[in-house]
Amino acid sequence: MNGDSLLIHQPTRLSIMAALSTLEEGAKVDFTFLSEELEVTEGNLSSHIRKLEEAGLLNVEKVFVDRKPKTWIALTARGRQAFSRYVEELEKIVRGAGQGEL
Amino acid sequence: MNGDSLLIHQPTRLSIMAALSTLEEGAKVDFTFLSEELEVTEGNLSSHIRKLEEAGLLNVEKVFVDRKPKTWIALTARGRQAFSRYVEELEKIVRGAGQGEL
C-alpha cells in the first residue's frame, strides 16, 4: 500500500472518504454535519480534511449563508478514483492475495 | 475502530494477519518465509509480530531444526476471531455504514 491509499488508510480519513463516496458524484456535505455524523471533533476533522484536500482527493468550499460561514466538502473525481483503488487494494490484502504458496 | 482492530489496521500487521488467516486453523509459517512472501525486512516483521504476539493474536515458537534456529508463527484462536471482527468492521466503514442520512 502506498501513496493515496496509505493516506486514505488512516481510520478517520477512511471514514471521511467512505462517507463521501456513498454520495452521488458532485454532491457535497456540510462540514459541521460531517463532524456530527462521523463523531469526530471539528479540529480533528479539519486537520484530516486538509491532508486529503492537499492530496487533491477532496474539494473544500467556504461560503457565506445568511452571513454565516459554511464549509462544503466534496470528493474530487481523483478522490473517487483513489478511494475505489484503495478498496480494491484493501480487498486483495485482506484476502491474503499475492502471498504465493501461503 | 479500536483495540485489536486498530492494532491490525497498520498495513504491515494487516498483511501478516491476512496471510496467516488464509491458512487452516493451527497451521504455522516459518518467519523467514513470511518475510520473503510479504516483502518485509526481518527487523520490521519482527517488531510487528512482537506487537501482535503481545496482544495475544499470534503465537511465536522458536525451535532448532538441524541445529539451526527456526521461528514459527501462527494465528491464535483469539487472533483469528480478532481478524474476522476487523474485516467486518472495515467492511462497514468502507460501505459508509452508520452515517445516517449521508
Side-chain angles (χ1 to χ4, degrees):
Chain A
M1 207 184 285
N2 51 43
D4 288 344
S5 289
L6 208 52
L7 185 77
I8 295 171
H9 194 60
Q10 194 282 334
T12 305
R13 290 197 286 269
L14 175 53
S15 68
I16 296 167
M17 294 297 287
L20 292 168
S21 77
T22 62
L23 305 174
E24 55 187 79
E25 231 169 300
K28 54 196 180 183
V29 290
D30 172 52
F31 176 84
T32 308
F33 176 72
L34 192 61
S35 161
E36 285 160 10
E37 285 295 308
L38 300 181
E39 297 176 6
V40 174
T41 64
E42 298 206 354
N44 194 2
L45 184 62
S46 178
S47 105
H48 287 300
I49 283 179
R50 199 172 309 119
K51 280 182 190 160
L52 292 167
E53 187 191 14
E54 281 166 6
L57 307 186
L58 292 187
N59 187 33
V60 178
E61 195 185 339
K62 289 173 186 287
V63 294
F64 279 87
V65 177
D66 294 336
R67 296 185 195 177
K68 286 181 202 143
K70 210 170 169 71
T71 303
W72 291 109
I73 316 293
L75 219 52
T76 60
R78 196 167 111 59
R80 191 168 289 273
Q81 279 174 358
F83 184 69
S84 296
R85 237 181 347 251
Y86 166 78
V87 173
E88 279 170 28
E89 275 181 54
L90 193 64
E91 278 170 353
K92 276 189 201 157
I93 294 173
V94 166
R95 271 191 259 112
Q99 263 106 51
E101 299 165 56
L102 267 188
Chain B
M1 209 184 285
N2 50 44
D4 288 343
S5 289
L6 209 51
L7 185 77
I8 294 171
H9 194 60
Q10 194 282 334
T12 304
R13 290 197 287 269
L14 175 53
S15 68
I16 296 167
M17 294 296 287
L20 291 169
S21 77
T22 63
L23 303 175
E24 54 188 80
E25 232 169 298
K28 53 196 182 182
V29 292
D30 172 53
F31 176 84
T32 308
F33 176 73
L34 193 61
S35 161
E36 286 161 9
E37 284 297 307
L38 300 181
E39 297 176 6
V40 175
T41 63
E42 298 205 354
N44 195 1
L45 184 61
S46 178
S47 106
H48 287 301
I49 282 179
R50 199 171 310 120
K51 280 181 190 161
L52 293 167
E53 187 191 13
E54 281 166 7
L57 307 185
L58 292 187
N59 186 32
V60 178
E61 194 186 338
K62 289 173 187 288
V63 293
F64 279 87
V65 177
D66 294 336
R67 295 185 197 177
K68 285 180 202 143
K70 210 170 170 71
T71 303
W72 292 108
I73 315 294
L75 219 52
T76 60
R78 197 167 111 60
R80 192 169 288 272
Q81 279 174 357
F83 184 69
S84 296
R85 239 183 344 254
Y86 166 79
V87 172
E88 279 169 28
E89 275 182 54
L90 193 66
E91 278 170 355
K92 275 188 201 157
I93 295 173
V94 165
R95 270 191 258 110
Q99 263 104 53
E101 299 166 54
L102 267 187

